[in-house]
Amino acid sequence: NAGVMQNPRHLVRRRGQEARLRCSPMKGHSHVYWYRQLPEEGLKFMVYLQKENIIDESGMPKERFSAEFPKEGPSILRIQQVVRGDSAAYFCASSPPVLGVASPLHFGNGTRLTVT
Amino acid sequence: GESVGLHLPTLSVQEGDNSIINCAYSNSASDYFIWYKQESGKGPQFIIDIRSNMDKRQGQRVTVLLNKTVKHLSLQIAATQPGDSAVYFCAENSGYSTLTFGKGTMLLVSP
C-alpha cells in the first residue's frame, strides 16, 4: 500500500549545480502535482502534470525550472543552476483521474533541497 | 489576488480540550475545501474535506464547518491529544484539483 514516494529525502547542491527531484505517484494515480514550501509557510502550487502532458504550470518559475511525467517512470522536477533562494521543501502529490469532481491530493514526504 | 488565510498562527491547548482552528477564504467560486495536518519533516496528511453543498461534515474526532456566507471554514478536534500537535492547513480547490493553501496554524497540545 505504497503512498507517494519521493526521493531523495534530502538534497544538497552548490550554487550553479542542477537538482533533480523524483516522484512516484500512488498506484492507480495518473495525476501529479508539485508544490514548494518555504519554512513556516504554506505550500505553493508549481505544476500539474498527467502522463506526458503538462496541464498547468502557472506556478512554475519561467526560468531554470522544468517538470516532466513520462509514460514510464517517475515524475521529475528539475532545477538548473540552483540559487540559494531555491532552498525549500518540494512536495509531490498525486490523485486519481479527475472526473469532474475534485478529490483530495495525497502527498509524499517531500525532498528538502539545500543550496550552499 | 484571491487567497486562503488563517486567523491564528498558533493555538495552545491542554490535552483533552476541544480545539478549533479557523480559516478564511476569499474565492467565492471555491467549491471544495480540505484540511491537512503536517507533522515536522513530513508531507501534508489528509484529515477531512467538505464540498460547498454542505455546511458540516464529521469524521473521527474531527468536524469541519463551512460558512459560505462569510467565507469561513473551521476544523474542530474533539478531546485533543498530544499526537494532534502539528501544523494544520486549510486548502481550497482552485481548478483542475490544484489546491491553494493557507499559511497554517500550529497546534500545540500540552499533556
Side-chain angles (χ1 to χ4, degrees):
Chain A
N1 188 23
V4 176
M5 303 301 292
Q6 290 188 250
N7 67 83
R9 287 299 309 277
H10 301 275
L11 182 61
V12 180
R13 285 287 179 267
R14 294 197 190 96
R15 279 178 295 171
Q17 291 184 319
E18 177 180 288
R20 291 171 69 88
L21 289 62
R22 289 176 291 277
C23 169
S24 296
M26 285 181 69
K27 187 176 181 180
H29 288 190
S30 57
H31 297 211
V32 165
Y33 311 77
W34 286 93
Y35 284 77
R36 176 164 62 177
Q37 185 177 36
L38 295 174
E40 299 186 358
E41 292 195 8
L43 283 76
K44 302 297 184 186
F45 168 75
M46 298 180 73
V47 62
Y48 162 40
L49 311 102
Q50 296 175 23
K51 288 280 187 181
E52 301 183 282
N53 280 309
I54 296 175
I55 306 302
D56 181 354
E57 57 182 346
S58 59
M60 192 98 94
K62 300 299 181 191
E63 298 179 350
R64 301 187 300 107
F65 285 72
S66 62
E68 63 176 9
F69 189 16
K71 186 176 181 180
E72 300 291 337
S75 175
I76 305 288
L77 178 67
R78 183 183 178 202
I79 310 172
Q80 296 177 292
Q81 299 173 346
V82 297
V83 300
R84 287 205 172 134
D86 296 332
S87 296
Y90 292 83
F91 290 96
C92 172
S94 70
S95 72
V98 178
L99 300 174
V101 179
S103 60
L105 304 185
H106 299 267
F107 285 85
N109 283 326
T111 292
R112 278 142 190 88
L113 173 65
T114 301
V115 179
T116 61
Chain B
E2 296 185 318
S3 63
V4 177
L6 296 176
H7 295 306
L8 300 173
T10 304
L11 177 64
S12 297
V13 301
Q14 294 288 323
E15 181 178 2
D17 288 351
N18 297 332
S19 302
I20 300 176
I21 301 172
N22 297 302
C23 175
Y25 66 95
S26 57
N27 187 350
S28 56
S30 294
D31 59 1
Y32 180 58
F33 304 87
I34 306 176
W35 280 100
Y36 283 94
K37 172 186 180 183
Q38 186 176 27
E39 296 172 286
S40 181
K42 295 186 177 180
Q45 176 187 359
F46 170 81
I47 300 174
I48 192 168
D49 58 1
I50 188 167
R51 302 190 190 278
S52 59
N53 61 351
M54 303 173 68
D55 54 19
K56 180 179 179 179
R57 190 162 188 224
Q58 289 183 294
Q60 186 177 10
R61 284 202 304 117
V62 294
T63 301
V64 56
L65 300 177
L66 175 62
N67 185 329
K68 295 180 287 294
T69 302
V70 295
K71 297 179 201 169
H72 184 267
L73 193 68
S74 69
L75 176 70
Q76 299 178 1
I77 304 174
T80 315
Q81 303 168 359
D84 294 327
S85 294
V87 178
Y88 289 80
F89 294 96
C90 65
E92 61 168 331
N93 172 254
S94 54
Y96 296 115
S97 278
T98 59
L99 298 176
T100 300
F101 281 79
K103 289 186 178 179
T105 293
M106 175 167 286
L107 176 65
L108 299 174
V109 183
S110 304

